[in-house]
Amino acid sequence: MPETKPILMQGNEACAEGAINAGVRFFAGYPITPSTEVAELMAAKLPDIGGVFMQMEDEIASMAAVIGASIGGMRAITATSGPGFSLKQENLGFAIMAEIPCVVVNVQRMGPSTGVPTAPSQGDIMQTRWGTHGDHPIIVFSPASVYETYYLTIAAVNLSQKLRQPVVLLLDEVIGHMREKVLIPGGGRLIVEKASDKAPADWKPYDDKGVTPLVPFGFGRYYHVTGLYHDQYGFPTSDPRQVERALDRLHDKLKKYRDEIVLTNYIGHREPKVAIVAYGCTVRSARAVIKKAYWQNRLPVGLLSLQTIWPFPDREIKELAEKADVIIVPELNMGQLVGEVERCACGRAEVIPLNRYDGEMITPDQLVEKMGRWLS
Amino acid sequence: MVRAIERTGFDQKDVVIVSGIGCSSRASGYLNFNTLHTTHGRALAFATGLKMARPELKIFVIMGDGDCSAIGGNHFIHACRRNIDLNAVIINNQIYGMTGGQYSPLTPQGSKASTAPRGTLERPFDILKLARGAGATFGARGTAVQPRQLEQLIARAAAHKGFSVVESLSQCPVAYGRRNNLGGPVEMLKSMKEKSISVEKATAMDENELEGKILTGVHFSIEAPEYAEEYYRTVTAEENH
Ligand SMILES: Cc1ncc(C[n+]2csc(CCOP(=O)(O)OP(=O)(O)O)c2C)c(N)n1
Ligand SMILES: [Mg+2]
C-alpha cells in the first residue's frame, strides 16, 4: 500500500491539489476574495506539469475559456466567489446545454453585491441552483472540511467528465481559508491521458441512447456544439419533439446516476427525536453539538450533513422526517435550503430554521439553545 | 473563408470554426469542420481556451459587428493584446441584424436604426484602428462585393502567426438598407463597390477625398511573439508514463 501522509492545508489549497490529482490541466480565472488562493496555486503548479493557467479579463471570459479548453480535451476548472459566479452564469448554462464537462468553484462570501467580502456566508445556495436561465439540471457539492474539499473536488471532476455535466463546488469562506489535516495517498502516480479519440466509428456527440464520452475537437469527428437545442450531431433544431427530448435527456442523466451524485452522511442516534440538517461550515458546529449530546450524553439527536445540495437529497430528508419529530436547519443566510427540507419533510417532522446573517458563524451554543426545548 | 482555408492547405481535421451569436455567427452551423457556436460576444474567450488547450488547431472566429465590438468588446481587445494565434473574421453589416435592426458600435453616425429612429448620435469604432491600438498584429478589410480579394485577405490572415482581424463589410438590406433608403441588395453592393478603394491607392489621397470611402486590403501586418507559443515555451511538459 502506498503511504498516506497527513498534510496541513487550507480548503482552497485542497481544492487546487484535488483538481490537479483528478487530472485537471487547465485553469482560467479572475481574482476575487476568498477564492484567490485557488488561482494562485494553479498558477504556480500547472506550468510544471504541462498545464495551462490563464488569468482572463473577467469571469465571463474565464468560464468561456474553461469550456473551450474542455472541448479541446483538457480537464478544466475555474474558481470564483459570489459576484464572479453571477458573471459566469450565462456560459455555465451553455456548458449544461452543450454537455461540456467543467467544474466551477464558488467560495461564498457575504452578499448581495460587494457585501462583506471577507465574511463567511452561505448566501449562494439558490444562485447555484437557479443562477442560469432555463429549466436546467445542476450538480452542487458543499464540503464541510478541508479533507472533504479535497475528495469532493476529485469527485466533481470525475463526475463532470462521466456525465458531461458541469459541477459546482460550493465552498464558503470558513472552509476555503481554514487549515486542517488532510490525508493524501502518497506513492501513486496519476496518469493523465492526452486528448485522443477512442470512440467507436458510430459515435455521436449527443447520442439518443445516452451520454457518450466527449471526443475533443481536432480528431476528424465533425460535429457542432451550440447552446441551441440540437439533434444527435449537435445541429440546431426547434422541432417540438426533439426539443422536449433534449431537455429530458439533460435531466435523465442526473436521475440515472442519482446514487453516485447525491452524497450525505448521518451521525448520531438511530431514532433521533431532534435532527440537524446542515451543509458546509455549519456542519462543524452541528458536529460539536452531536458529539456532546449523543456521544457523551446519549440523547436522541442526530446530524444529516449534505455533501450534495443539488440535486436535493429528497429521499434522505424524507427518511429522516419519518423518524425525527423536529428537524433544525442552520444556515448562514436568511433561510434558503430550509424550504427544500420543508418540502421533503412534508409535515412529518417540524422544520425549524436557524439563521445567522451578520457575517459570523453559527455557534454550537446557538444550536443547543434551539434544540434544548425539544429535548427536555 | 472556406476557399481561403483550402488555399492555405490546412488539414480539415485541424480547422475549427468558432462563432458568437447573430445572423453572421450562424455560419458555423453550415460548415463541415469542428464547429462551436458560443454565446453572444464571447466567441474569442471560448476560442482562447481551446487554442491554449490545443495549440496545433487552426481556429477561425466568426463574429458580427455587435457581437465583436459591443458585448464582446472587452474580449476583443484582450485577444488583440495577448496576440494569441486566432483568426477573427468580423462580418460587419453595420447593424444588429438578428434582433431586427438596432444600432451597433459600428453603425455609421446619423444612420437610422430601430432604436435610433432619428439617426444615431453615437460615433462608430474603426475596428481595425481599435485592433491595432490594442495590439493585434494583422488587420485587413474586405467587402462582400469583392469576394476574391476577401478570400486572399483571409488566407493571408490565416498564414499570419498571431492575432489577426479581417473586417468583412457586408450588408443587411432588410434591417439597415431599407430604413436608410439605400435601395435593395444590388444597390447596396453597387454602392459598396463604388466606395471601396485600396489602402495602397489611398496613400496618395487627402482626407477630403477619403471621406466616406472604404479602405480595403491589408492595413497592418506586424511580427510579434505569439501567446500560445510563448506560453508553451515556459512550460515543463508532463512526463510520459
Ligand atoms: C446576452 C445576450 N444579449 C442579447 C442577445 C440578443 N442578440 C442576439 S443577436 C444580437 C445582435 C447581433 O448583431 P450582430 O452581432 O451585429 O450580428 P448580425 O445579426 O448583424 O449578423 C443580439 C443583441 C443575446 N443572444 N444574448
Ligand atoms: Mg451586425
Side-chain angles (χ1 to χ4, degrees):
Chain A
M1 268 295 281
E3 180 196 359
T4 302
K5 23 177 201 178
I7 303 174
L8 187 70
M9 60 168 78
Q10 223 185 25
N12 284 346
E13 218 175 325
C15 177
E17 288 289 343
I20 285 174
N21 285 351
V24 167
R25 289 297 176 269
F26 187 96
F27 180 96
Y30 190 84
I32 182 167
T33 304
S35 77
T36 309
E37 292 84 4
V38 182
E40 287 171 343
L41 281 161
M42 293 305 244
K45 289 181 179 244
L46 283 173
D48 286 339
I49 49 172
V52 177
F53 170 86
M54 289 212 75
Q55 183 171 310
M56 296 300 287
E57 51 272 20
D58 59 27
E59 286 87 347
I60 302 173
S62 307
M63 190 66 222
V66 157
I67 299 168
S70 186
I71 293 170
M74 259 190 183
R75 293 186 173 201
I77 188 169
T78 180
T80 186
S81 187
F85 191 58
S86 297
L87 288 178
K88 289 183 195 289
Q89 293 300 336
E90 187 194 8
N91 286 336
L92 179 59
F94 178 92
I96 293 167
M97 182 61 142
E99 299 187 70
I100 308 300
C102 55
V103 172
V104 181
V105 181
N106 174 5
V107 189
Q108 294 166 98
R109 62 190 221 178
M110 206 179 166
S113 192
T114 312
V116 185
T118 52
S121 164
Q122 297 178 316
D124 297 349
I125 304 306
M126 285 299 168
Q127 189 187 195
T128 53
R129 179 61 194 91
W130 295 113
T132 194
H133 50 286
D135 210 351
H136 61 282
I138 190 79
I139 298 174
V140 182
F141 289 150
S142 168
S145 69
V146 176
Y147 172 83
E148 261 183 31
T149 304
Y150 178 75
Y151 285 99
L152 286 177
T153 307
I154 295 174
V157 173
N158 290 335
L159 205 55
S160 171
Q161 292 289 326
K162 178 170 168 176
L163 301 186
R164 285 177 51 187
Q165 159 75 31
V167 178
V168 177
L169 196 70
L170 191 63
L171 272 58
D172 49 59
E173 194 277 335
V174 176
I175 301 300
H177 280 161
M178 182 174 64
R179 282 178 199 278
E180 271 187 321
K181 188 175 73 177
V182 180
L183 295 171
I184 293 186
R189 255 157 137 218
L190 183 89
I191 297 167
V192 177
E193 287 180 29
K194 286 252 175 304
S196 63
D197 173 14
K198 291 192 196 116
D202 63 350
W203 177 84
K204 295 178 195 127
Y206 303 97
D207 200 317
D208 276 346
K209 291 191 212 94
V211 186
T212 49
L214 187 75
V215 176
F217 277 10
F219 292 100
R221 306 287 189 128
Y222 304 117
Y223 62 96
H224 191 51
V225 177
T226 176
L228 292 162
Y229 278 98
H230 44 264
D231 63 16
Q232 295 190 82
Y233 296 93
F235 290 98
T237 176
S238 50
D239 167 30
R241 275 182 25 239
Q242 288 202 55
V243 167
E244 188 179 271
R245 196 153 19 116
L247 187 55
D248 281 339
R249 169 193 166 87
L250 297 181
H251 287 266
D252 286 349
K253 64 181 177 184
L254 267 66
K255 282 183 201 144
K256 185 170 170 195
Y257 292 95
R258 197 254 181 210
D259 292 343
E260 268 177 65
I261 298 170
V262 178
L263 309 171
T264 63
N265 180 30
Y266 182 80
I267 56 169
H269 199 283
R270 280 202 191 177
E271 303 290 331
K273 241 179 111 178
V274 182
I276 303 172
V277 171
Y279 55 90
C281 67
T282 49
V283 168
R284 310 182 69 86
S285 305
R287 211 179 273 150
V289 171
I290 300 301
K291 261 188 194 164
K292 201 159 172 217
Y294 177 67
W295 287 336
Q296 278 181 25
N297 302 333
R298 295 288 146 182
L299 291 173
V301 295
L303 161 66
L304 181 70
S305 61
L306 313 178
Q307 283 77 53
T308 306
I309 57 170
W310 304 114
F312 188 71
D314 47 0
R315 274 186 233 152
E316 289 75 1
I317 298 292
K318 264 180 208 137
E319 263 171 45
L320 187 66
E322 297 290 350
K323 296 182 203 156
D325 296 339
V326 178
I327 296 177
I328 294 174
V329 186
E331 297 183 86
L332 294 186
N333 56 45
M334 296 181 85
Q336 294 197 15
L337 214 58
V338 67
E340 289 296 301
V341 177
E342 240 163 32
R343 180 177 66 80
C344 297
C346 207
R348 287 188 202 94
E350 186 169 353
V351 177
I352 301 174
L354 171 57
N355 305 108
R356 187 153 186 182
Y357 40 90
D358 60 353
E360 297 290 327
M361 276 285 278
I362 288 174
T363 62
D365 284 350
Q366 280 182 289
L367 273 162
V368 169
E369 197 190 316
K370 214 32 158 207
M371 292 166 83
R373 181 153 79 87
W374 303 96
L375 288 173
S376 50
Chain B
M1 198 174 85
V2 174
R3 267 191 252 128
I5 291 171
E6 189 171 26
R7 186 194 273 245
T8 57
F10 292 158
D11 192 337
Q12 182 186 10
K13 78 173 177 29
D14 293 333
V15 173
V16 172
I17 315 290
V18 182
S19 65
I21 293 289
C23 300
S24 34
S25 288
R26 288 301 286 258
S28 61
Y30 303 109
L31 297 170
N32 192 25
F33 296 105
N34 279 133
T35 48
L36 171 58
H37 180 228
T38 66
T39 47
H40 192 31
R42 319 298 175 193
L44 284 169
F46 280 79
T48 297
L50 178 59
K51 181 71 185 177
M52 291 306 289
R54 297 285 296 285
E56 74 277 16
L57 296 177
K58 316 286 181 195
I59 305 179
F60 294 80
V61 185
I62 302 175
M63 294 170 286
D65 49 312
D67 191 55
C68 169
S69 72
I71 191 166
N74 200 29
H75 310 308
F76 180 70
I77 58 175
H78 289 280
C80 292
R81 177 178 63 82
R82 290 189 188 102
N83 194 34
I84 186 165
D85 191 19
L86 300 171
N87 308 301
V89 177
I90 303 165
I91 300 183
N92 178 10
N93 57 4
Q94 307 181 306
I95 202 81
Y96 285 179
M98 179 149 275
T99 41
Q102 301 76 28
Y103 63 93
S104 91
L106 301 192
T107 302
Q109 194 173 24
S111 299
K112 288 193 173 143
S114 70
T115 46
R118 304 169 192 197
T120 167
L121 294 174
E122 296 195 19
R123 299 190 303 164
F125 281 133
D126 179 330
I127 200 76
L128 292 184
K129 283 189 183 150
L130 179 66
R132 170 123 202 219
T137 49
F138 184 94
R141 182 178 289 125
T143 69
V145 75
Q146 293 140 299
R148 233 172 261 130
Q149 181 197 35
L150 197 53
E151 179 190 325
Q152 279 169 10
L153 294 173
I154 296 174
R156 277 191 63 182
H160 174 83
K161 186 183 270 180
F163 190 73
S164 69
V165 181
V166 174
E167 180 185 11
S168 164
L169 269 161
S170 106
Q171 91 285 32
C172 181
V174 179
Y176 184 73
R178 200 180 285 164
R179 199 172 266 119
N180 287 287
N181 299 322
L182 300 175
V186 179
E187 288 80 7
M188 285 181 80
L189 284 173
K190 260 192 196 149
S191 118
M192 190 183 285
K193 193 168 191 176
E194 279 157 21
K195 285 191 209 152
S196 293
I197 176 166
S198 74
V199 274
E200 290 80 19
K201 272 192 200 143
T203 49
M205 292 162 70
D206 66 29
E207 242 175 68
N208 286 338
E209 288 172 299
L210 287 176
E211 181 71 35
K213 290 279 189 282
I214 300 166
L215 300 194
T216 64
V218 176
H219 284 237
F220 58 94
S221 177
I222 306 155
E223 291 218 1
E226 189 275 326
Y227 186 77
E229 200 176 84
E230 291 296 302
Y231 181 86
Y232 276 98
R233 219 198 291 286
T234 66
V235 161
T236 320
E238 191 157 33
E239 278 173 60
N240 266 330
H241 300 272

